[in-house]
Amino acid sequence: MHLIDPGSAGEHVQRAATLLQSALGTVPVAAGRASGRVNLIGEHTDYNRGLCLPLALRHATYAVVAPRGDHLVRAVSTLAPGTYAGDPATATGWAAYAAGVVWALREEGFDIPGIDMAIASSVPVGAGLSSSAALSCAVAMAVAALVGPIDPDVLLRATIRAENERAGAPTGGMDQTVGLLATPGEALLLDFADGSRTPVTWAPPELALLVIDTCASHELSDGQYAARRADCEAAAKALGVGSLRDVDEIDLQSAHGPWLPLARHVVTENTRVEEFVQAVATGEWAEAGALMTSSHESLRDDFAVSCEQLDVAVETALEHGALGARMTGGGFGGSAIALLPRDRLGEAADAVLAAYDRRHWRKPRFLLT
Ligand code: GLA
């Protein structure tokens, strides 16, 4: 089984620094790093003031920066050809996530100079592993290192604003929270009602979490994500509450509306997060796995954000020893995760490769958390 290697921080920072010098003739003076993530459980809950449990990957994005004498941003990346140069308020494409942070920090009242920046990353792009948020967060960390300490909550708000207001993806904040605040291998229980962030020990004995990048296309700003979010808000309104966090399964028994399956997913998913945290704490790994699989079924059947490639990855992993498996992240493609006995990792990965090959789908890729 070929695994995507996270590489070392030194190697990525060096690649970014070399690019900054060769493409823009600039010597970097500060650097920032932010992890990609998988979400263990709690999907499409963050923008409903709910619970989620993301885990930071060792795969990360690195930004190196230097100040300019004007207010412009120039950005280059080892992942994309060409140079972005312009006013950060008008950046588009991947540059909206990078330059957009400079725009957002200025909007927050910080006097940020023009910046030359270069990016290198080991987070696979478009795999639903938060490559976009890792980009914004790495730039935010590098800019903070350049201009002096900035409160982490301000950085969080700025990175969310870059994605929501500049890149046009109305995401909920889970990914940026991990990118800025979690150390690699750390799981954080996030409660979007009270804003709490609680580290959860994630060290399943004899088990490993296999990440399967389906390589099926995944794009959060294409309207489907925004539509789900708007429908959840409509559901809360119809139920007469501020958010779906204020609803329980009993409230839904007598409810009617086209949004009912969506609301049911969000309500049951919050409960699954609580039960999962409990199962992890007490070492009930079979129970934790079963909750992951029910989360997937709920996302597939009620929230309707899975796809064939994700379903086949999950089903195949379950047939080959996984205690549980689910899609992770926003859905519509992207990655699945499977909780597997270490000695069956290779078997499960080979089975997924064979299942995709039989269907003539793009070859999936794998990484370990
Ligand atoms: C994407 C978003 C997150 C979250 C997940 C779904 O990753 O960026 O804010 O909504 O989808 O749980």
Side-chain angles (χ1 to χ4, degrees):
M1 169 181 41
H2 173 73
L3 293 171
I4 300 173
D5 183 4
S8 72
E11 168 199 321
H12 290 295
V13 168
Q14 188 55 55
R15 280 172 62 220
T18 304
L19 178 64
L20 193 72
Q21 275 174 287
S22 63
L24 303 181
T26 306
V27 178
V29 297
R33 173 198 183 282
S35 295
R37 61 104 192 87
V38 291
N39 187 13
L40 292 170
I41 196 158
E43 219 66 84
H44 289 276
T45 47
D46 58 354
Y47 55 83
N48 288 303
R49 290 170 61 80
L51 299 168
C52 58
L53 185 66
L55 173 75
L57 297 174
R58 285 177 299 150
H59 302 72
T61 297
Y62 300 82
V64 299
V65 296
R68 294 171 54 81
D70 57 20
H71 274 77
L72 299 180
V73 167
R74 291 194 299 173
V76 285
S77 166
T78 58
L79 304 174
T83 301
Y84 166 78
D87 179 338
T90 58
T92 56
W94 71 268
Y97 291 92
V101 171
V102 174
W103 165 83
L105 285 170
R106 288 180 185 159
E107 290 285 303
E108 295 283 333
F110 288 85
D111 184 17
I112 309 291
I115 306 252
D116 278 351
M117 61 175 80
I119 311 296
S121 181
S122 59
V123 184
V125 172
L129 300 175
S130 186
S131 59
S132 311
L135 169 57
S136 296
C137 293
V139 170
M141 298 292 257
V143 171
L146 182 71
V147 300
I150 300 180
D151 184 278
D153 282 305
V154 173
L155 292 179
L156 181 57
R157 211 161 50 230
T159 51
I160 294 172
R161 287 189 68 181
E163 178 149 25
N164 289 177
E165 298 175 44
R166 295 271 62 86
T171 52
M174 165 173 74
D175 303 348
Q176 291 84 357
T177 310
V178 181
L180 291 170
L181 300 172
T183 54
E186 182 178 45
L188 283 183
L189 173 63
L190 305 179
D191 183 330
F192 281 83
D194 66 14
S196 62
R197 304 158 190 151
T198 314
V200 169
T201 305
W202 173 255
E206 317 290 325
L207 300 171
L209 197 67
L210 179 67
V211 183
I212 306 160
D213 171 10
T214 64
C215 294
S217 80
H218 154 93
E219 184 58 75
L220 286 179
S221 48
D222 74 348
Q224 291 270 21
Y225 182 95
R228 293 298 183 289
R229 184 170 180 160
D231 288 347
C232 286
E233 281 158 15
K237 200 162 171 220
L239 289 160
V241 292
S243 76
L244 289 177
R245 184 64 183 280
D246 302 323
V247 176
D248 62 25
E249 285 185 66
I250 297 165
D251 299 326
L252 292 181
Q253 277 169 10
S254 53
H256 302 282
W259 39 260
L260 189 57
L262 296 186
R264 187 164 55 221
H265 164 72
V266 173
V267 169
T268 56
E269 186 79 347
N270 282 326
T271 307
R272 279 187 290 272
V273 175
E274 284 170 339
E275 291 173 354
F276 186 87
V277 169
Q278 186 63 33
V280 168
T282 51
E284 291 164 77
W285 298 104
E287 171 64 9
L291 287 161
M292 289 171 67
T293 306
S294 339
S295 167
H296 182 77
E297 289 163 357
S298 177
L299 287 156
R300 182 192 64 201
D301 302 338
D302 276 347
F303 214 72
V305 289
S306 189
C307 67
E308 270 186 289
Q309 285 89 338
L310 286 166
D311 294 343
V312 166
V314 164
E315 281 152 27
T316 308
L318 290 171
E319 282 159 16
H320 290 269
L323 277 67
R326 60 184 293 277
M327 53 159 277
T328 190
F332 312 109
S335 294
I337 50 175
L339 184 61
L340 281 152
R342 282 183 191 281
D343 58 5
R344 296 192 71 180
L345 278 171
E347 172 198 332
D350 285 346
V352 173
L353 282 168
Y356 274 48
D357 191 48
R358 272 199 303 281
R359 291 167 175 82
H360 308 292
W361 289 344
R362 285 178 68 188
K363 197 174 167 179
R365 303 187 298 173
F366 303 94
L367 55 98
L368 286 175
T369 61

